Structures are given as C-alpha cells and as structure tokens.
Amino acid sequence: MLMKTTPPSQDLTDEGTPVSVKIRERLVMARKRFHANDNIAEFIEPGEMEKLLDEVEIKMQGVLDSMVIDTVGDHNTGNTARRVAKMYLKEVFNGRYVTAPTITEFPNAEHLNELMIVGPITVRSACSHHFCPVIGKIWIGVLPNEHTNVIGLSKYARLAEWVMGRPQIQEEAVVQLADLIMEKTQPDGLAIVMEASHYCMAWRGVKDMDSKMINSVMRGVFLKDSTLRREFLALIPRKG
C-alpha cells in the first residue's frame, strides 16, 4: 500500500537558501530597484537581519582569507569579519535596512512664512565607488506656507542621517533628501547645501586632504526668486 506523503513546508524547502537571495527575489518580483542608495526595509521580514548579518560575516571572512590575512593566528583580526558585517548592516549603511524615522508633523498654526535655516547638520556616509567615508555638513532652508507641515528641528537631522546611511553619491544623496523633506513638509520652497570631504580622494587616489565637494538643490520659490536664494546662501556660516 502506497503511503501518501505531504509536501514539505515552505520553510523546509527554503532552509538552504541564503537570506540575501530571498530578499532579492522579493525585490525582483515587486519590480523594485535595489541600488546601493535605495532603502529595502519593506522587503526584509522579521528575524532576517540577524541571518543577513551571519551571511555577510561569512563572506567577509572569505575576503580576509583571500587577502591572505591569518585571522586565526592574528589576535587583532580574529573577529574582524563579524565587526565589519555589523558595522555595514547596523551602522554606516543602516539607512538601507530600516524604515524611515517616525516624524510627527504639526499644522502651521501661526501661518509662518519666513525663511528658516537648519544647520550645520553633520552627516556621515560612504561613497558607492570605494565604500570610503564621506563626512560633511548640510544646511537646509525652508520657506513655509500656511499649509506646510511643521516638524521639529531634530527631525531634519534624523531624516538626513537616514538618507546618508547608505552607500551614496553626494549629488544623488542631496536630491533624495530634498525629495523626502518636500514630501513631509510641503513648503513653498526648499534649499539644501552640502559640503563634504571624500576619503576616496583623501585616503587613496590623489590623496588630497583639503578638497571638499559642495553642491546644492533648490526647489520651489528658491528656483524662481534669486533674492531669496542669495539670502539663504549669505546666511550659511560656512568655514573653509
């Protein structure tokens, strides 16, 4: 007599599949982009970040082995693979894997409509090309209207940290931040200036320690009103 067998559960079928592959498959099925500076938090299921940490650790150990580093005999690098994996996933690139910070928005009860500038906000990121640090400051100018959502000053810093906490290109990072703030606050105008040192220039390559990159994004009335734009730029207390 033949015994009828039940099909294995999905969990058992997927037991040997790396968690990175599962996450990637969800992204592909949803036709979502997963570039270095994209946030993929909604495609990561509970408990998978720890599995991803284990997976990155194993692959990082392979990198160290290929670099001919004796991580068994060298007391300094014995746990480096785990430390690097944790640094990437939970610290410097955390903005890829966690949802946006909760931002409480308040109505513009006093109908404020004067220029407001927040900064300098210190930001830390890494370039997508070499994973070298990008460290700098951001200034944010907002021209609200009566319908603008008001958010706390510290929330601008939290939004900036979330966007910058991914492998980034500075020009794209500033645009991403501008899009996010425009969506959250709906002002008449928004201006952002970022000044940063790129360690892909200072630490390697030309090894120029003094060069900085400065770029800006202007939205709304800051694009149309040159007087307002000059006022914002003149009020930024940049140093060297």
Side-chain angles (χ1 to χ4, degrees):
M1 181 178 178
L2 294 174
M3 298 291 292
K4 186 176 180 180
T5 58
T6 56
S9 68
Q10 187 68 28
D11 288 343
L12 291 176
T13 304
D14 291 346
E15 189 174 349
T17 305
V19 68
S20 64
V21 173
K22 297 178 184 179
I23 296 168
R24 184 186 296 260
E25 287 175 350
R26 291 177 204 133
L27 287 156
V28 172
M29 287 292 292
R31 297 184 178 179
K32 293 293 186 178
R33 202 180 78 164
F34 48 101
H35 290 185
N37 62 352
D38 289 327
N39 178 274
I40 60 171
E42 65 178 297
F43 297 93
I44 300 174
E45 295 182 355
E48 287 187 333
M49 277 304 296
E50 286 305 312
K51 294 179 181 178
L52 193 60
L53 180 60
D54 293 338
E55 183 181 334
V56 174
E57 177 188 0
I58 292 169
K59 292 181 177 179
M60 190 63 216
Q61 182 61 50
V63 171
L64 295 172
D65 292 341
S66 294
M67 292 173 69
V68 198
I69 296 175
D70 179 10
T71 57
V72 175
D74 179 6
H75 62 281
N76 289 317
T77 56
N79 201 35
T80 292
R82 184 71 178 185
R83 285 192 293 264
V84 172
K86 186 177 179 181
M87 176 188 72
Y88 280 144
L89 293 184
K90 296 194 172 182
E91 296 179 77
V92 295
F93 297 155
N94 186 248
R96 294 197 78 232
Y97 305 105
V98 299
T99 56
T102 302
I103 303 297
T104 303
E105 302 162 8
F106 304 95
N108 187 1
E110 298 298 324
H111 295 178
L112 303 173
N113 63 355
E114 299 293 338
L115 173 61
M116 177 188 73
I117 299 175
V118 183
I121 298 169
T122 300
V123 290
R124 301 165 186 84
S125 189
C127 75
S128 305
H129 297 154
H130 297 96
F131 280 15
C132 288
V134 175
I135 300 176
K137 297 184 182 298
I138 281 181
W139 292 263
I140 301 170
V142 178
L143 191 72
N145 59 53
E146 60 180 303
H147 304 295
T148 296
N149 296 322
V150 178
I151 64 176
L153 295 182
S154 66
K155 302 305 184 287
Y156 289 99
R158 292 194 180 280
L159 291 174
E161 180 183 34
W162 184 65
V163 169
M164 296 296 163
R166 311 165 195 178
Q168 281 285 11
I169 300 301
Q170 182 171 330
E171 307 94 296
E172 296 177 0
V174 174
V175 171
Q176 282 186 324
L177 181 59
D179 290 343
L180 184 60
I181 295 174
M182 287 293 291
E183 176 190 343
K184 293 287 185 183
T185 63
Q186 300 293 316
D188 276 346
L190 174 70
I192 299 178
V193 168
M194 179 173 174
E195 175 183 271
S197 297
H198 290 243
Y199 283 74
C200 55
M201 284 184 64
W203 191 28
R204 57 162 298 281
V206 297
K207 297 182 180 177
D208 187 335
M209 298 296 294
D210 298 321
S211 292
K212 295 180 185 294
M213 180 176 178
I214 304 172
N215 67 314
S216 66
V217 171
M218 304 287 168
R219 298 283 173 84
V221 292
F222 283 98
L223 280 175
K224 303 172 185 176
D225 189 336
S226 59
T227 301
L228 178 65
R229 188 163 59 247
R230 283 195 300 269
E231 179 185 358
F232 166 70
L233 295 174
L235 289 172
I236 293 177
R238 289 195 299 110
K239 294 182 179 179

